[in-house]
Each structure stands twice: as C-alpha cells, then as structure tokens.
Amino acid sequence: MAMAMAMAGGAVRGRFAVVGGGIAGVTCAEKLAAEFPSEDIFLMTASPVIKAVTNFKQVSKTLEEFDVEEQPSFLLEKRYPNIRVIQSGVKQMKSDEHKIYTEDGKEYIYEKLCLCAGAKPKLIVEGNPYVLGIRDTDSAQAFQKNLAQAERIVVVGNGGIALELVYEIQGCEVIWAIKDKAIGNTFFDAGAAEFLLPKLTTERRETPIECKRTKYTLEGSKEKGRPTEASDKLGSALGPDWHEGLHLKGTKEFSHKVHIEILCEVKTIHLQQEFIQLQRTSVTFPKGEKNAEADEVLWPVYVELTNGKIYGCNFIVSATGVVPNVEPFLDGNNFAVGEDGGLKVDKHMHTSLTDVYAAGDICTAAWEPSPVWHQMRLWTQARQMGWYAAKCMAADALGESIDMDFSFELFAHITKFFNYKVVVLGKYNAQGLGSDHELILRCTKGHEYVKVVMQNGRMMGAVLIGETDLEETFENLILNQMDLSAYGENLLNPDIDIEDYFD
C-alpha cells in the first residue's frame, strides 16, 4: 500500500487530518480510512486512549444503541493501518496555511481537516479544589476516590449525568440543587420526574450489572489528600452507563439519602475558614417534614444557595453541562461561532473556513433543521456527525454531491435512567413549539410512562419510559406526520393495539 505522506520543510503532509480522540473524531477517522485506504489519515488526540464504538445496533430507522469502549490507540491503528494516531494536543491552527501545530512541536499540513475536540465541563466555579466537574471517565474516577471518604456531598445540575449520579450513590447524604421545578429537566417533564422519583427513595435493590467497558486507567495520576481537580484535563464524554463498575459508595451505612432543593442555584461557595468568619448558620440534612436544624458539624466546604440555605459538605459535584472546546482553534482563525460557543457548521458539516469541518460537541448545527430534530450534545449525535462529516469530506475531495444524512430527520435517543429504558423522540419536551401543542399521557406507576406531544393533530415528539415497545410505531408517526385527530385520547389506549393501525 502506497502511503501518501510527504515531508514539507519539516512539516508532515497528509490529505486528511482529524482532531479529537472521542466518538466523533474516531468515527470520522475510521470512515475516512475506509473510504481512502491508500491515504494516511492523521488523528490527533491529547489522550493515550481513544473512544471506540462497539456492539453497534440499529434499533429502528433512527434509533441506535452502542457501547463505548476506551481503547489504547494502537488497537485503532491495528484495525485501520492507514490511521496514524498522533498523541499530542493541538497548540495552534493556521487555517490560511492549512497547518496544525501540535504541543510536541511538530507541524502538519492537511488538505481537509475535521475538528472533533469535544467540550469541557461548565464548572460552577473554576479552580476550587472542592468542586469536581464530571464529564468523562477520568473525572468519574477522581470522583469515586473522593466519595470513599465522603459523608455528604452537594450535586449541582439537572441533566443526565446528575440524574444517574444521584441515583447510584449509596451511603452518603446527597443535597441535590436544581434550578428547575422537577428533576431531569433535560430529558423529562415534571410528570416523568414524578414517575421516576419513588426510585430515589426506595432501598437499593438489584446488584449492578458488570461494567461493559474495558477501562484503561492512566496510572501515575494518583494524588493524595484533597480532592483532585479532574476538570482541567480534557477527556471524552461519559455515556449512559458510565457509572457501572465504579463503586459509588460513601462512608455511611444507609443506602439512599437524597434531599432535593428545587428552583435554586449556587450563590457562593465558602471554604471552612471563610464560613467561620461569616458567623452564619448552616443546616443539617433535612429529615421528614420538620425544618432542618442548625448543623453542629464543621465541614471542609459550604454551599450557599440562592434560596438562602447553607449546607456544609465534603465536596461539590458540578454536573452543569458543557461548553464546546474551541479555545486552541479560535486564535488567528475567523470562525463563525454559535450562541452556545460552538463552531457553526452548515448542512455538510463545513465550518466558515475553507476545508475545515467540525463534528460532535465542538460544533453548532447552523443549518435549518427538520421540524422534529434538534442538536443535543450526546454520544449518538457525536457518532452520527463524525460519520457524516467524513462522508462530506470524501464527497468534497472527489467532487461529488451528497444528501443530508437521514439521522438528522428525527431526533432520536435511547438510554437508561434509574434502570428504566428511556426513549426520547422528536420534540419530546415540546421544544420550540410554544403554547400551541397538547400532551397525551399514559402512566402505570412503577411500570411505564408514555407521553406524546401533539400539534394540529400530528405527533411531534414522545417520551417512553419502561418496556413500552412503541418506539418504532411512534417514530413512523412522527416521520410521516399523519393526521391523528380522529383518534384523540385513544391514541394511547392500552386496549387498542396502535401498531396494527400504523405499520
């Protein structure tokens, strides 16, 4: 095989370069390597491990399930001999010269480049050793180490990671501060939250399933003493089963103790000394209906919430979402950037700069989306975007045209929360539909929760919790926009086999 790689005045030249060893970057590099077997594909990553998609399963037209495995990069090079993994972060990019400079002092000249550098945790406060950002497997391990000594922690955030974290923690008091009225607001409405809540208060049941991922831990980063900040090092995002195989148990002997503070955010964080000087009172863990009393214990750190309460704890977990990791690329390059801080891409994953594409968490979809698709920084979308970006780069390189990928027709995501299967489709929370919509619900306590979002008699979105077996039917109904007004409430009548109507 003729390797198309040349040295140009100290710089290494390659046709395609991809930055980022997460799901989007690896998927993009693999697809390019398959399309151009005689070309070198450069994959630049700051981490010695990459994230690979395994056990991929197409569940329906738009729903897919897969596991994510951390693997040493040589396994990727073994699968695709024309992928060259360059283990170094990017220091600088000069798009007008088509050049990338890596931290290890090397230069690379590319013809086409795809940026897949992901996102970093949005920390409630930077540089505080008692605040841990959870976003990737490295930070989950730092968290586990700290939890072993913890009696009480404060969790801030209301997305998928906060939800799973609170559910999995045992033997440790958890104060959960959320800015919304109900838990899990990224994925659910208040009804779904109500359905899930009993699971938080019941004593733990089944033993956790064995972890499906092989973990390659990076030794040598074991620091003693205070909690380690895991947020400053970039890792790849966690998936829906990231906590499996991690032993999330604190020091106390009870199982679940969660207290939720709604409609509040963190106002300030006080270290122990500052708190003593303030001469304010912190409260104990609330028990039952009566008001929490003053806390006699001295804690390492204190969280003051906007509702006026102060809680002491061992440490704080910041699970408040992510910000696209665009820093190394903006300097000297005139990128169009979205409101959420991501690099804007058009419907061919092309950024505003010539020959530069982006995929996954770093990018912001700036095309006119289908009425039932929206961007969310999830693994499924990272895989789809990485794959599609490679297709677009290939088509561009060969002068061919390409249609928008079908996965952008309908938002579809499958995951697990509180041990229930959860499927979300389309505008499942009526995103952007204003007040012009109605909801139809069906709920069997402890068994299933089904919600559909209707607009003008057409199904726009759905949330399915439990083994409902309705995902394919609903996917079809949302995609074909059939008028369902005639069915009214009967649409979810369990005695009517809806699938017979619409298959």
Side-chain angles (χ1 to χ4, degrees):
M1 182 166 78
M3 281 293 181
M5 182 189 82
M7 299 293 283
V12 186
R13 193 185 281 276
R15 194 165 180 191
F16 299 104
V18 180
V19 175
I23 286 301
V26 171
T27 306
C28 182
E30 288 182 332
K31 183 74 184 147
L32 285 169
E35 298 255 342
F36 297 93
S38 59
E39 297 281 357
D40 258 2
I41 315 295
F42 295 132
L43 177 65
M44 294 154 191
T45 169
S47 162
V49 291
I50 54 105
K51 293 269 196 294
V53 168
T54 57
N55 305 327
F56 180 84
K57 188 163 108 230
Q58 194 72 44
V59 180
S60 67
K61 276 202 283 276
T62 57
L63 275 170
E64 50 186 52
E65 266 186 308
F66 53 86
D67 297 328
V68 171
E69 216 173 82
E70 288 203 318
Q71 296 177 347
S73 51
F74 69 80
L75 285 182
L76 178 66
E77 293 176 316
K78 212 168 151 182
R79 283 199 302 276
Y80 295 92
N82 58 328
I83 290 183
R84 296 257 327 270
V85 179
I86 292 141
Q87 199 198 309
S88 182
V90 170
K91 192 167 72 187
Q92 200 196 357
M93 167 188 166
K94 290 191 178 172
S95 58
D96 48 352
E97 295 176 32
H98 283 54
K99 266 187 193 172
I100 288 270
Y101 296 85
T102 49
E103 296 284 1
D104 60 8
K106 298 202 171 69
E107 300 176 30
Y108 297 88
I109 298 176
Y110 61 84
E111 273 182 40
K112 298 208 178 300
L113 169 71
C114 191
L115 299 176
C116 307
K120 342 181 248 214
K122 205 188 311 179
L123 280 191
I124 41 179
V125 51
E126 292 289 340
N128 185 320
Y130 294 102
V131 176
L132 294 180
I134 285 225
R135 149 84 187 160
D136 49 50
T137 25
D138 299 341
S139 47
Q141 275 151 359
F143 171 67
Q144 183 192 342
K145 210 157 50 192
N146 297 317
L147 189 61
Q149 285 91 47
E151 292 179 30
R152 183 191 298 161
I153 66 168
V154 172
V155 174
V156 185
N158 201 13
I161 283 186
L163 208 62
E164 274 301 277
L165 197 59
V166 170
Y167 175 65
E168 288 295 326
I169 289 168
Q170 301 171 52
C172 177
E173 293 175 345
V174 178
I175 306 285
W176 187 8
I178 62 174
K179 63 179 193 297
D180 313 286
K181 268 204 190 81
I183 63 168
N185 135 294
T186 341
F187 285 99
F188 311 124
D189 55 359
E194 255 339 89
F195 172 80
L196 289 169
L197 263 181
K199 276 274 200 167
L200 269 189
T201 46
T202 54
E203 283 299 300
R204 290 289 295 191
R205 32 352 55 201
E206 69 280 34
T207 48
I209 354 164
E210 274 306 290
C211 188
K212 289 197 290 281
R213 293 198 197 126
T214 331
K215 287 208 167 60
Y216 289 88
T217 51
L218 313 177
E219 288 308 320
S221 57
K222 293 199 166 109
E223 287 174 45
K224 306 229 169 8
R226 299 212 297 194
T228 47
E229 277 179 272
S231 55
D232 48 0
K233 296 191 281 296
L234 286 179
S236 317
L238 293 167
D241 58 348
W242 61 272
H243 52 76
E244 289 178 14
L246 283 179
H247 184 58
L248 295 183
K249 198 160 173 26
T251 58
K252 297 270 181 79
E253 271 317 298
F254 55 81
S255 173
H256 254 127
K257 261 201 168 177
V258 178
H259 172 71
I260 303 173
E261 290 282 352
I262 61 164
L263 297 171
C264 69
E265 293 184 58
V266 172
K267 186 179 170 191
T268 29
I269 291 171
H270 309 286
L271 295 176
Q272 194 183 73
Q273 271 321 104
E274 299 166 350
F275 175 73
I276 294 168
Q277 285 161 357
L278 276 178
Q279 300 189 320
R280 301 265 303 272
T281 317
S282 68
V283 287
T284 56
F285 191 86
K287 293 176 182 65
E289 290 306 301
K290 66 174 193 287
N291 284 336
E293 299 142 17
D295 199 346
E296 298 302 317
V297 184
L298 258 189
W299 296 92
V301 64
Y302 288 80
V303 177
E304 184 177 343
L305 300 173
T306 48
N307 62 12
K309 291 185 192 169
I310 300 182
Y311 287 101
C313 61
N314 292 97
F315 63 94
I316 302 142
V317 178
S318 175
T320 40
V322 296
V323 279
N325 179 34
V326 293
E327 275 318 301
F329 312 107
L330 294 184
D331 191 28
N333 299 302
N334 195 14
F335 276 110
V337 174
E339 275 172 38
D340 58 7
L343 305 176
K344 283 187 173 183
V345 291
D346 64 16
K347 64 177 199 284
H348 291 136
M349 305 311 286
H350 209 269
T351 66
S352 54
L353 302 182
T354 316
D355 294 326
V356 181
Y357 301 74
D361 288 1
I362 194 175
C363 78
T364 300
W367 64 83
E368 187 57 48
S370 130
V372 286
W373 185 86
H374 57 273
Q375 184 181 6
M376 224 170 147
R377 289 180 165 84
L378 299 163
W379 275 5
T380 39
Q381 288 195 0
R383 194 204 69 79
Q384 290 161 348
M385 285 179 170
W387 188 89
Y388 176 58
K391 292 277 291 178
C392 294
M393 290 164 83
D396 215 11
L398 301 167
E400 296 165 357
S401 63
I402 185 172
D403 289 329
M404 184 105 216
D405 192 73
F406 188 74
S407 57
F408 301 107
E409 281 299 304
L410 170 68
F411 176 87
H413 185 59
I414 188 165
T415 185
K416 246 194 158 107
F417 283 120
F418 296 13
N419 243 20
Y420 286 109
K421 172 177 162 184
V422 176
V423 175
V424 278
L425 297 169
K427 302 290 173 134
Y428 61 88
N429 256 354
Q431 292 94 330
L433 298 183
S435 51
D436 173 31
H437 68 273
E438 54 179 5
L439 306 176
I440 308 177
L441 293 176
R442 170 171 113 200
C443 180
T444 315
K445 206 174 167 177
H447 177 61
E448 62 165 25
Y449 176 89
V450 178
K451 173 187 87 170
V452 293
V453 179
M454 305 294 292
Q455 190 177 43
N456 306 326
R458 287 164 173 80
M459 193 182 292
M460 298 301 287
V463 173
L464 307 170
I465 306 178
E467 296 296 334
T468 65
D469 285 333
L470 290 169
E471 50 267 32
E472 283 209 63
T473 305
F474 283 8
E475 174 186 61
N476 288 329
L477 290 178
I478 298 171
L479 281 169
N480 65 27
Q481 288 293 291
M482 182 174 162
D483 188 351
L484 305 166
S485 328
Y487 299 96
E489 301 288 304
N490 267 335
L491 197 56
L492 295 186
N493 183 340
D495 303 324
I496 295 173
D497 195 354
I498 182 173
E499 294 168 61
D500 294 348
Y501 283 100
F502 306 117
D503 272 358

